[in-house]
Amino acid sequence: MLAAYLPAFTKASQKSRRTLYLDLFAGQDRNLSRTTGEPISGSPRVALDTAPPFSKAVFFELPGQAAGLEAELRTSYPGRDFEVVPGDCNKTVSEVLERLTAEEWHWAPTFVLLDQQAAEIEWATLEALAKFKHRSRSKAELWLLFAPSMLPRGLASVDPEDAERFAKRVTAMFGTEVWRDAYEARQQGRLSAAELRDELLNLIRWRLENILGYKATHSFQMKNTRGADIYEMVFATDHDAGEKIMSHIYRMAADAQPRMRAEAVAKVEAEREEKSGVLSLIPPMAKVINTVPRYKHEPPREPYRLPADE
């Protein structure tokens, strides 16, 4: 989806003098598929391979990986205007945005990828990104990995101190403690696990729209090979074109996801059959139940609150 959206973004922005890409959890330049063992381009390569190209790219990564990432990218993309910023992005992003503003990049159409794992991003960082653009321009588009199923796991730590530390991280990500109402309702049996995940997703979308002022947010549910929910990709934009393009990509992804799951299951089944010598009577495709409905955008609702008498 990233590789599909970025070229559409830069093409739609061609009237601007330049475009900017920010990647706050850049990771590695390449990864390997667990299913096929084949290399997969990491988001830095996806961004730098985009055509029309971004005028500038900034990758944020922790010091242990930043040097290696920069070395790989300098070798593969000589002459390209990019930088790798080492350190915790929540601590480094404000200084980088101030410098980019001084260099007048705040006029450029900007796309930001926030590929966190659980609750590493902080609301103050999202706020800084939303305020970065010149007031006459649409805010930077955000594409945020949000994993509501990971939050209850961290909060359920058997060590109370660990649980509270994680709870503070969750509060820092949302920028509010309103999330605790839905979590407490789950503890009381008022909400199911699925309902809690939905409320947490709704809250981040509601705050992006109502607190940061984004015109629209869209979310897409990612599933693993077994069809279980693993995370959501939340898109926030001020631009009609961005909303139209990403909605189209989300619809295409919703249609493709069952096929991709079926291919992964078929590979696993083939390996199992080869090892056991026992052939399955049911074709792998038939084993995959399409639990992914066609994508349909729904705006966020008011955040969940416990009844006042609770």
Side-chain angles (χ1 to χ4, degrees):
M1 289 192 288
L2 183 67
Y5 185 76
L6 294 186
F9 179 91
T10 54
K11 185 175 182 179
S13 305
Q14 282 184 311
K15 290 184 179 180
S16 300
R17 290 187 297 117
R18 44 189 181 175
T19 50
L20 178 63
Y21 173 87
L22 305 177
D23 193 333
L24 270 64
F25 300 88
Q28 300 172 230
D29 69 314
R30 289 189 181 93
N31 300 286
L32 292 177
S33 168
R34 293 178 182 174
T35 304
T36 66
E38 296 177 356
I40 301 172
S41 291
S43 57
R45 283 185 174 272
V46 173
L48 292 174
D49 286 338
T50 296
F54 279 94
S55 306
K56 184 180 184 65
V58 183
F59 306 108
F60 297 76
E61 188 49 71
L62 295 175
Q65 286 186 246
L69 175 62
E70 180 157 19
E72 289 288 342
L73 296 180
R74 292 292 174 201
T75 300
S76 300
Y77 300 93
R80 289 296 300 276
D81 186 358
F82 71 85
E83 59 182 290
V84 179
V85 180
D88 180 344
C89 63
N90 294 299
K91 297 177 180 178
T92 60
V93 70
S94 292
E95 182 180 344
V96 171
L97 293 178
E98 287 177 9
R99 173 167 53 80
L100 291 172
T101 298
E103 297 170 357
E104 297 194 348
W105 283 99
H106 63 313
W107 288 94
T110 302
F111 182 91
V112 186
L113 177 64
L114 303 128
D115 191 15
Q116 64 173 351
Q117 290 185 338
E120 289 77 29
I121 197 68
E122 295 178 3
W123 184 258
T125 300
L126 298 177
E127 197 170 33
L129 291 166
K131 291 179 178 179
F132 164 61
K133 295 299 296 300
H134 190 276
R135 60 181 177 273
S136 69
R137 296 296 181 99
S138 299
K139 290 186 287 297
E141 289 188 341
L142 307 180
W143 206 36
L144 169 69
L145 187 152
F146 183 75
S149 61
M150 295 289 288
L151 306 188
R153 296 178 192 175
L155 295 167
S157 172
V158 294
D159 185 332
E161 292 185 0
D162 284 346
E164 185 53 32
R165 276 193 293 270
F166 190 79
K168 290 180 179 179
R169 283 175 51 189
V170 175
T171 296
M173 178 181 66
F174 282 115
T176 179
E177 292 202 334
V178 169
W179 66 270
R180 290 182 182 269
D181 279 31
Y183 184 68
E184 186 175 338
R186 170 58 183 154
Q187 302 302 103
Q188 296 174 0
R190 293 174 179 266
L191 296 177
S192 67
E195 288 171 333
L196 171 61
R197 293 193 297 271
D198 182 64
E199 292 297 343
L200 295 174
L201 171 63
N202 178 73
L203 177 60
I204 194 69
R205 292 184 59 211
W206 187 90
R207 287 184 59 77
L208 287 170
E209 291 190 20
N210 292 274
I211 305 303
L212 295 189
Y214 278 93
K215 180 180 179 181
T217 60
H218 292 250
S219 59
F220 185 85
Q221 189 178 73
M222 297 291 191
K223 294 178 178 290
N224 62 15
T225 307
R226 298 185 301 277
D229 304 342
I230 46 177
Y231 59 87
E232 302 269 350
M233 290 305 302
V234 177
F235 177 66
T237 185
D238 274 347
H239 207 287
D240 291 340
E243 185 177 10
K244 181 179 179 180
I245 295 166
M246 189 61 87
S247 294
H248 174 69
I249 290 172
Y250 276 10
R251 285 193 293 271
M252 290 177 61
D255 291 340
Q257 199 170 75
R259 174 185 53 76
M260 295 172 68
R261 283 181 52 215
E263 291 173 353
V265 169
K267 180 175 176 57
V268 172
E269 286 290 323
E271 291 174 350
R272 183 193 63 77
E273 291 175 356
E274 184 177 354
K275 290 179 180 178
S276 67
V278 178
L279 298 179
S280 173
L281 297 178
I282 304 175
M285 183 68 77
K287 297 181 180 181
V288 177
I289 301 174
N290 183 5
T291 58
V292 183
R294 286 190 62 83
Y295 176 74
K296 179 181 179 182
H297 173 256
E298 293 183 2
R301 59 191 179 277
E302 286 288 327
Y304 180 89
R305 300 303 297 260
L306 281 169
D309 60 347
E310 292 299 323

